[in-house]
Each structure stands twice: as C-alpha cells, then as structure tokens.
Amino acid sequence: MKPLKIGIAGVRGIVGETLTPELVIAFAQAFGTYQDSGKILICRDTRSSGPMVHAAVAAGLLATGCEVIDLGICPTPTMQLAVEHLNAAGGISITAGHNPAQWNALKFVRGDGLYLNTRQAEELLDIYHQAEFTKAKWNEIQPQVATRDAIADHIEVLKQAFDVEAIRARKLTVAVDCCNGACAVLSPRWLEELGCRVLAINDEIGSPFPHNPEPKRETMAQLRAVVKAGQADIGFAHDADGERVAIVTETGEALSEEMTLAIAAEIKLSQTPGVVVTHLSTSSMIEAIAARHNSSVVRTPVGQAYISEAM
C-alpha cells in the first residue's frame, strides 16, 4: 500500500511520514474554502495520532473563518447524521477506518451527510492544489471550538428505524468487539437500549487497537470465543470508525464481510423487493438473492461516494 493516498475518498497516509500537520492543515483550509467558511463538524476515531490531526484540522478550518463543532470521538456515520441534523455545511471525519494504527485520514462529508461525489471531490482537490485558500481576518476567526455529543441523536434515529419493542421481547444476548475504536461509545449503549444482554470486548477508547481494525475472520478469534462462552445469539465486529461490520453466528462461525451485505439484502428484499446498489467487487450472491425476490442489482465503481450517487 502506498504511504499516501489522495483521491475522491479523501486523503490517507502514514502519520510521521506522509500525513504531516502541514498537509492536514492545507486540506482543512481547502475544505473550509470549498464550504464558504460555513459550519463544519469534526470527529475522530481513537488512534494515538488523533489529537494531533484533530488540532491541525481545527486550525485549518478556523483559519478560513469556519464555525467548528467538535463531536469528539464518535463513529463516522454518527457525524454524517449530525451534519444534516445540525444544518452544517459539511464535516470532516478523522479516521483511517480499517487501516492499521500508523495510518490516519480525512474523510469529507457534504451538507446532506453524504461523502463528496466525484465532481465535488475533484473541485476540492483543485482548491487544495492551487493553495488559494480563504483567509479570515483576525477579528473574523471564531474564538472557540464548540463541542457536542451526537451519540444520543444517533440512537434516536436508530429507534425510528427498528422495532425496538419486538427486539426487547427477544431478550437477546449480543457480543460486540469494538476494537477500542469509536463504536465503543455507541454500540454497547445502543444494544442496551434494545434490551440486549451485552458482552462487550475491547470497548476502552483510551487503549490501543487489540488487533488490526479490519473486521475479518483472522481478527475475530476473541469475539468467536466470547460468543461461544457467553452463549450469545450473535456477535458483531467493528472497525475503528463504524463503517465496517462483520458477523459471528451463534455457533461461533465468523462470516466473511461478503455475507453481511448478502444477509441484509435477503432480509430487506423479502420485505420490499426493489433495486440493490452495490460496487463491482461485491460477491455475485447479491444477484442470486435479488433474482429470487424479483429484484435487480446496480453495480458501481468501488467507493461509498459512487454507491450514494447511484442510489
């Protein structure tokens, strides 16, 4: 993997080598300029480099005259929901997701909570490369960075999407490996709200990742053991910022990430047939499931931005 990646998905690099404070500040200035010095939310995962990158992002945004609201450590999807809820111009999530601890990254979100599309990302990159940023005067710079906890709002959104009482009636036991990442502040709390007996592991946000944060079979040995020992009905494994999840069955079998989408598609299409949007590298299981439910599949290039636009 190259030590620095700049593209439509944001900027990602190894801290102390390619992801420098200067680079981070410049990208934050570019985003602040692109968003016309509006209200911008920021959040981060639990990497040790997070405070440094966070400070650089805040400095770059403030320098362009942005109003900055800090959500602290929280999942990227929490921040995406909060952008629209708080009527912000956009947001920056400081996280390298499933990448190892030495990496960090900036993910850019627009005003509707989605990632920048291809055209918007190219416009942001043009501003970055031209380095002609908005420069707020001394008396136009916001005197402080506001803080807000967005977790409670996220849980309220989830309550509207699930039959909470039906789940509570099941009295499920659920194991969850938060990887000492941002989901440690959301998932156990949400599962308890659902009335589950929660077996949470690696849920300390001040501790390093206990294993590679990519949720796949090789990293789920501990979760599998907890599921079997605790007689859990299911287990979930998160990455560092809550954008990836993998499943362990009640028998302790670790399913591949491909199975997560297949299971979700089967459940959803059995209720409401329609169109499934996924990217080119997803398993052909999706076509088989869609065909069984008289539904269709649209394939996009790899990347959340492409999927969101296609939807």
Side-chain angles (χ1 to χ4, degrees):
M1 187 182 293
K2 295 180 180 178
L4 181 65
K5 290 192 172 185
I6 296 175
I8 67 162
V11 56
R12 177 174 37 155
I14 296 177
V15 177
E17 295 183 18
T18 55
L19 195 77
T20 63
E22 294 84 0
L23 180 78
V24 171
I25 290 171
F27 263 102
Q29 288 178 290
F31 190 66
T33 301
Y34 184 64
Q35 298 292 5
D36 294 324
S37 305
K39 182 194 298 181
I40 305 295
L41 309 187
I42 56 177
C43 72
R44 68 178 180 91
D45 68 18
T46 57
R47 295 164 198 271
S48 59
S49 62
M52 180 276 287
V53 180
H54 176 280
V57 167
L61 292 173
L62 290 170
T64 63
C66 290
E67 175 189 354
V68 180
I69 298 179
D70 179 19
L71 304 183
I73 293 173
C74 77
T76 298
T78 302
M79 187 268 282
Q80 291 178 275
L81 289 170
V83 164
E84 193 167 19
H85 180 70
L86 297 176
N87 196 30
I92 299 178
S93 180
I94 303 163
T95 175
H98 65 286
N99 292 116
Q102 64 267 34
W103 289 78
N104 215 328
L106 307 181
K107 297 179 180 180
F108 301 101
V109 173
R110 65 195 195 194
D112 59 0
L114 299 178
Y115 288 118
L116 303 183
N117 62 30
T118 304
R119 176 185 57 79
Q120 293 165 335
E122 289 175 348
E123 290 172 349
L124 175 63
L125 289 175
D126 284 343
I127 294 172
Y128 165 75
H129 288 301
Q130 292 169 8
E132 295 179 358
F133 310 131
T134 299
K135 295 180 177 62
K137 297 179 181 178
W138 68 270
N139 58 346
E140 297 171 338
I141 296 174
Q142 295 291 322
Q144 64 181 2
V145 173
T147 60
R148 184 175 177 119
D149 178 7
I151 300 298
D153 293 333
H154 191 164
I155 288 176
E156 288 304 312
V157 171
L158 291 172
K159 283 181 179 179
Q160 301 305 313
F162 287 84
D163 189 338
V164 174
E165 293 306 318
I167 298 171
R168 286 175 178 165
R170 292 287 301 276
K171 300 186 184 301
L172 300 170
T173 296
V174 180
V176 57
D177 181 356
C178 301
C179 196
N180 293 335
C183 280
V185 300
L186 172 66
S187 292
R189 183 171 162 184
W190 166 233
L191 291 169
E192 289 173 357
E193 186 73 32
L194 291 173
C196 299
R197 171 176 167 248
V198 183
L199 306 177
I201 59 173
N202 302 318
D203 57 344
E204 300 177 1
I205 60 174
S207 299
F209 298 151
H211 50 70
N212 190 311
E214 185 170 4
K216 52 186 180 180
R217 285 173 173 165
E218 305 91 277
T219 62
M220 290 196 284
Q222 185 183 9
L223 179 61
R224 293 173 61 196
V226 171
V227 168
K228 289 192 286 186
Q231 298 182 315
D233 295 288
I234 194 169
F236 295 108
H238 289 299
D239 67 348
D241 76 323
E243 287 200 324
R244 295 192 179 201
V245 66
I247 296 171
V248 172
T249 70
E250 73 276 13
T251 63
E253 178 187 1
L255 302 182
S256 72
E257 253 192 299
E258 294 287 356
M259 290 299 297
T260 307
L261 181 58
I263 292 169
E266 173 65 33
I267 293 170
K268 183 62 178 178
L269 294 178
S270 66
Q271 299 169 343
T272 310
V275 180
V276 178
V277 180
T278 188
H279 56 68
L280 292 170
S281 67
T282 303
S283 167
S284 60
M285 285 189 291
I286 300 301
E287 272 84 4
I289 293 168
R292 189 161 67 244
H293 296 288
N294 297 315
S295 298
S296 59
V297 178
V298 172
R299 296 276 183 170
T300 75
V302 176
Q304 287 192 43
Y306 295 111
I307 293 174
S308 297
E309 287 300 299
M311 289 172 67

